[in-house]
Amino acid sequence: MTRTVYVNGEYLPENEAKISIFDRGFLMADGIYEVTSVLDGKLIDFAGHAARLERSANELDLALPVDMDELIEIHRKLVELNGIEEGMVYLQVTRGAPADRDFAFPDPDEVPSSIVLFTQNKPGLAESPAAKTGIKVISIEDVRWGRRDIKTVQLLYPSMGKMMAKKAGVDDAWMVEDGKVTEGTSNNAYIVKNGTIITRHLGNEILAGITRNAVLRFAQEAQMKVEERSFTIDEAKDADEAFVTSASTFVMPVVEVDGAQIGEGTPGPVATRLREIYLEESRKAAV
Ligand code: PDD
């Protein structure tokens, strides 16, 4: 089925949507993005994703071409036009298309930012079979740039990380810097030891996950203990449980790290409970 996508003010069939070859997103990875999940045809954690988009734009001096009311309107219209019950909405804003390639930023009054949105239909997203078995990860060195708190479209190294994982016969990679886990290729990483949930503190080294924020709040409300600090791969191997969070996977148990089985090698009770709470609460709050 041909999707209807949104490009710079127009709703178009996906094969008619066009972006200039001079677009700075294409030439310079000069762009930011968000992925918002859809359950029951509604947007999950939309306010958080919109707020992070504004923050990313401010950090890069990038003008957003739409306001927040228009943004939710476009999301909702695409979900409706494409009949999405479960899936994702991808949004990307770049610094637009100047007349030629140039390292210097163009004048935003002359070159408007580009905005693109499209949906991804994922029936069964909430009932993912991987959540029942858990996923396996390897560790790789984190060689990304120093502003990972900004959600930019420079995803080459995370893509390479996924390929390293694939080659190693596992599902994903956790990145390690100065001996400590930063995050997964496209998710935040957690371990559970003696009932305490441990996940890296926020900073420039990781993306402040919108799912992370919600999950930590739900964990605290459920009287679970949370420690925001960095941890090593050895600690992960010795943990009772491990998991990752993201808009596209919600809470996903991790059952193996660098070939070492975590806990019983099956999704643990904390990750399983947090997934249930997250899905239940975020469905209730969906817009
Ligand atoms: N990735 N860390 C990184 C590096 C990410 O790319 C993501 C999200 C997260 C989790 O953030 P959130 O909970 O807000 O989704 C953490 C999205 C899903 C992606 O690139 O597809």
Side-chain angles (χ1 to χ4, degrees), residues 33-35 49 52 144 151 155 175 183-188 207-212 245-248:
Y33 77 109
E34 284 295 331
V35 176
H49 290 286
R52 188 173 60 192
R144 296 173 301 162
K151 198 163 173 62
L155 297 175
M175 294 179 278
E183 58 190 332
T185 57
S186 59
N187 44 59
N188 291 112
L207 185 73
I210 303 306
T211 321
R212 176 188 183 280
T245 65
S246 75
S248 48

Side-chain angles (χ1 to χ4, degrees), residues 172-186:
D172 202 1
W174 279 9
M175 294 179 278
V176 176
E177 186 174 55
D178 299 329
K180 303 280 171 57
V181 174
T182 51
E183 58 190 332
T185 57
S186 59

Side-chain angles (χ1 to χ4, degrees), residues 186-233:
S186 59
N187 44 59
N188 291 112
Y190 306 71
I191 56 172
V192 182
K193 186 70 182 173
N194 300 326
T196 300
I197 299 162
I198 302 160
T199 192
R200 192 176 177 111
H201 51 283
L202 297 181
N204 293 343
E205 298 76 22
I206 64 167
L207 185 73
I210 303 306
T211 321
R212 176 188 183 280
N213 188 47
V215 163
L216 293 187
R217 195 177 70 242
F218 297 143
Q220 270 150 350
E221 283 168 9
Q223 317 297 330
M224 297 177 184
K225 222 178 131 211
V226 174
E227 261 179 42
E228 289 181 70
R229 63 161 176 88
S230 51
F231 59 87
T232 64
I233 287 292

Side-chain angles (χ1 to χ4, degrees), residues 224-257:
M224 297 177 184
K225 222 178 131 211
V226 174
E227 261 179 42
E228 289 181 70
R229 63 161 176 88
S230 51
F231 59 87
T232 64
I233 287 292
D234 279 346
E235 269 185 281
K237 287 179 174 173
D238 188 43
D240 303 323
E241 289 184 44
F243 62 94
V244 294
T245 65
S246 75
S248 48
T249 61
F250 311 118
V251 177
M252 180 61 68
V254 171
V255 295
E256 189 185 292
V257 176

